[in-house]
Amino acid sequence: MGWEAKVVSTAIASFICGLIFGFGLLISGMTDPVKVLGFLDILGPWDPTLGFVMVGALAVSAAGFAVAKRRGAPVLASQCLWPARRSVDASLVAGSILFGIGWGLVGLCPGPAIENLATLSPRVVLFVVAMVLGMMLQEAWQRLARAARPPVGAAIAEAVDG
């Protein structure tokens, strides 16, 4: 299969996966910020439905990952891209906290927010614009951090040369 066919196949598979995810969000009611906030409000009238959606998603994805690991090579890629890093660092913790604050304040996370763009609600549009700006700022910050870092082995070369 040529690279063009792989790109098209990957795009089609991504589109189908996105449709399944989107329909899942709609069917479960998780595009409704009130339902999400009802789950997050453990001291008020708590709504456990998001917990059931999460458990169902974890069960399906765990089964899918088990099949993928046993399979070896992926169908539409040259190799599996499993995460190599397993450490918890300051960036992960800070990002998790910011994600949780945004989710808790608005009741939306990226998937449902993008799906809710179809409503043209000014609140949702503003959330998505702010989310995209935040992603762009984070990318710029990462680029600056990479540019400021000395190349690997630079300190060793200076010590030897100096």
Side-chain angles (χ1 to χ4, degrees):
M1 180 183 314
W3 68 269
E4 298 97 349
K6 279 192 177 185
V7 168
V8 170
S9 298
T10 302
I12 291 169
S14 298
F15 180 76
I16 291 169
C17 289
L19 278 178
I20 292 169
F21 178 72
F23 282 131
L25 287 173
L26 281 171
I27 292 167
S28 65
M30 293 302 116
T31 56
D32 182 4
V34 174
K35 287 222 40 93
V36 174
L37 291 172
F39 176 78
L40 297 173
D41 185 10
I42 57 173
L43 300 177
W46 188 62
D47 180 356
T49 52
L50 177 57
F52 289 109
V53 171
M54 288 180 178
V55 168
L58 284 172
V60 170
S61 63
F65 279 120
V67 168
K69 282 192 178 223
R70 249 187 278 120
R71 183 174 174 74
V75 176
L76 299 175
S78 58
Q79 64 179 358
C80 290
L81 299 174
W82 300 109
R85 221 172 114 199
R86 298 185 184 272
S87 62
V88 175
D89 61 3
S91 293
L92 176 65
V93 172
S96 300
I97 290 169
L98 289 172
F99 179 90
I101 289 170
W103 194 32
L105 288 174
V106 184
L108 287 171
C109 62
I114 291 169
E115 193 158 355
N116 274 319
L117 276 176
T119 66
L120 297 178
S121 161
R123 187 175 81 98
V124 173
V125 171
L126 183 61
F127 177 87
V128 171
V129 167
M131 179 180 72
V132 169
L133 284 174
M135 292 165 67
M136 292 168 61
L137 283 171
Q138 192 276 340
E139 177 62 31
W141 179 37
Q142 290 296 319
R143 235 182 289 121
L144 286 172
R146 279 192 298 271
R149 248 183 256 134
V152 176
I156 295 169
E158 286 179 18
V160 172
D161 294 340

